[in-house]
Amino acid sequence: MNIDLSPNFVLNFVVGAMVLSLLIPLYQAWKYDGDIWEIMLAFSSIAAKSAVMILVIAVLRDDWMIGVIGVIILSVGNAGFMLLAHIIQRTGEL
């Protein structure tokens, strides 16, 4: 039995595993639907995992324009989301 372990097969497997791992924060958000912090954490986790998936797909396709988009999402995308979380936290403290 010959198992194909080419880089494309391995990267496709990694992308499939990442798509399945996106379901974990969605389940947590669904489980704690009344807690805003759990929902925000779930969406933040989904954004980070999606950006990593974009980077893996960029390597798989050898297209670095897609990779640049993943890097921008990783570096800037969650910063705005965390700023929103701190604003909500501050308004809750006052």
Side-chain angles (χ1 to χ4, degrees):
M1 182 172 180
N2 191 8
I3 298 174
D4 181 25
L5 291 178
S6 66
N8 283 340
F9 175 76
V10 173
L11 287 175
N12 283 332
F13 179 76
V14 168
V15 169
M18 288 178 167
V19 169
L20 288 177
S21 72
L22 279 177
L23 298 176
I24 296 170
L26 287 176
Y27 173 72
Q28 288 295 325
W30 173 70
K31 188 175 173 184
Y32 300 106
D33 60 348
D35 190 8
I36 188 69
W37 289 104
E38 290 292 331
I39 294 171
M40 290 180 74
L41 285 173
F43 286 133
S44 177
S45 176
I46 289 170
K49 287 177 184 172
S50 299
V52 171
M53 281 177 43
I54 288 171
L55 289 175
V56 170
I57 290 172
V59 171
L60 181 67
R61 294 178 51 132
D62 197 24
D63 186 2
W64 290 106
M65 293 299 288
I66 297 173
V68 169
I69 293 170
V71 168
I72 290 172
I73 290 172
L74 272 177
S75 63
V76 180
N78 284 336
F81 199 72
M82 295 310 292
L83 179 64
L84 177 65
H86 283 288
I87 290 172
I88 290 174
Q89 185 181 19
R90 291 273 178 144
T91 54
E93 290 176 355
L94 297 177

